[in-house]
Amino acid sequence: ELQLSARRSFTDLVLSPTYNAYFDRIFRDSEFNSESNVMRNQNERFHFFDVNGKYLYDFKDDSKLRFNLLHIYNNLDYSESTLNSNNQAESSESRLNQKSYGASLNYTKQWSKLATDLQLYVSNYRLDGITNDITNNQRLIQENEVVDLGFKANLNIPFSHSIVLNTGYQFNEVGVTNLEDINDPRFRNFIKEVLRTHSLYSEFEFRSNNNKTYARLGLRGNFIEKFSDFYFEPRISFNQKFLRYLRLEILGELKSQSIAQIIDLQQDFFGIEKRRWQLADDDKVPVITSQQASIGLNYNRNGLLINAEAYIKNVDGITARSQGFQNQFQLVNDIGAYTIKGVDFLINKQFNKLSTWLSYSYSKNDYQFKNLNNGNEFPNNIDIRNIINASVTYNFNALKVGVGMNWHSGRPYTSPLDLQDDSNNTIEYDLPNSSRLNEYLRTDISATYSFKLSDEINAEAGASIWNLLNKKNTINRFYRHNDDASIATIDNESLYFTPNFSFRVTF
């Protein structure tokens, strides 16, 4: 069997109100709208396409081959112009594009009782940016590339109907390249790093004959060649049904990660795609480790679903440059951790043609860095304490209508001190993340209608409105100096009233 699919946007040819709304939201506080005598956004063009292919071949019922291929491409071009000293127009074009390739080959074989699974895979991600600043006659080239190669061999051994062992070996090689090239002043920095990891894993699964009890106990060991370090990752999952309609779930695991995203400068890649991938070096960028556990209770009866879960997660080995600080820690290098504790509650009631959802989450997420804030804890940049989501959907034959409400308390930010030292060109800040934005509230509505164009052609028309009440929600706040040395407040706002329409034909 051969499966092929492809998509291509036409946003570089036709602009819709929805596209304009998203464009304004994304680029509102980027270099596109920076205060300058340069006229920007004169001819921005964005488009994307993706291609996906699958080849499936069954040698026999017990022997199968699978090949997958994926390519994704995003491209943004924009031009800018200004008047030179001779009152003549000068223009230049800048570009930002992302390319992703992925391929995997998988072969499975079912023996008399055993089952084997062999997999080869490769992926490539590349981010390229060329910025031309005609005001300063400067050209900046930035590149970030990740190449991931791997092999995995898995063996499935059923000891009985209830007990199964999955065990295997995995090899992984990741290479990351970073480039910065400036023409004036002349500067070039090229860094390429490679990490190879060998992993062995085993996992026992138990399922009772009555399907009321399920347990999974596993251990994974990762050996990183470059550092000669071992990382052991035990994990457990336990699920027990009792009193007919109740189910208890307990989860716990340790994980490690040798690659992370960092932010060198907020204006990198036009301030749009400013994060770049970087490998751990066991020094300034350590291997990230995490420990997490949760316990949940689930009730399901007569169309009523109630779920409650409590969890705790600690992530160690993060760098300050990976967190996107826009305060006194923006250019600081430090290593630390964050801990998040929380509870989630969900209730869903199904009626004949009506479905209602209500969820509430409470969490507390704090940083712990060695040198930041004198070693004291302070709120995470994404520490949102309370979140409420509610929705109602109604199905009437071919018509589906839904209304949703999203609310959460404000995220933290750092305010400048009331008294500033005018003798330097830096902003003096209060305690990190000690202030809070106003609460966030958004109401959405959507509807779809399905119908037939002919016996073999189906169609679906849809319409939706994001932020129906057109509420202005501030989702981030930071500060910077104006040319006159005063402090400007920059508020990133979410999407305003945004309509969208869709039409789909299936044949």
Side-chain angles (χ1 to χ4, degrees), residues 2 29 85 200 220 269 432 448:
L2 181 64
D29 300 302
S85 57
L200 292 173
R220 181 184 181 95
F269 295 104
T448 60

Side-chain angles (χ1 to χ4, degrees), residues 161-181:
H161 174 74
S162 301
I163 301 177
V164 177
L165 170 65
N166 281 296
T167 186
Y169 165 79
Q170 184 174 5
F171 170 77
N172 186 243
E173 178 181 289
V174 180
V176 175
T177 300
N178 276 294
L179 169 69
E180 282 189 283
D181 188 303

Side-chain angles (χ1 to χ4, degrees), residues 55-59 63-67 105-108:
Y55 177 71
L56 317 176
Y57 187 81
D58 296 346
F59 298 96
S63 181
K64 300 179 180 180
L65 182 71
R66 302 289 184 263
F67 177 71
L105 182 65
N106 184 264
Y107 176 74
T108 58

Side-chain angles (χ1 to χ4, degrees), residues 246-308:
L246 289 173
R247 185 173 289 276
L248 175 70
E249 184 176 49
I250 300 175
L251 301 172
E253 64 180 349
L254 273 65
K255 285 187 175 182
S256 61
Q257 180 176 305
S258 58
I259 187 171
Q261 287 183 308
I262 66 165
I263 298 175
D264 280 343
L265 296 172
Q266 291 291 333
Q267 63 267 30
D268 281 348
F269 295 104
F270 314 145
I272 300 167
E273 194 67 52
K274 52 196 173 187
R275 293 184 179 273
R276 63 179 69 193
W277 291 100
Q278 184 176 35
L279 284 175
D281 59 10
D282 207 30
D283 182 21
K284 295 182 179 180
V285 183
V287 174
I288 299 174
T289 59
S290 68
Q291 311 85 40
Q292 58 193 65
S294 66
I295 181 170
L297 192 62
N298 190 79
Y299 173 84
N300 195 349
R301 183 186 183 189
N302 296 331
L304 177 63
L305 170 65
I306 301 176
N307 179 266

Side-chain angles (χ1 to χ4, degrees), residues 38 80 82 90-92 131-140 182-186:
V38 178
E80 60 182 5
T82 188
E90 292 184 358
S91 63
S92 66
T131 308
N132 286 290
D133 184 352
I134 57 178
T135 304
N136 298 310
N137 193 27
Q138 187 179 76
R139 185 264 301 139
L140 169 64
I182 302 175
N183 66 331
D184 187 20
R186 189 67 183 131

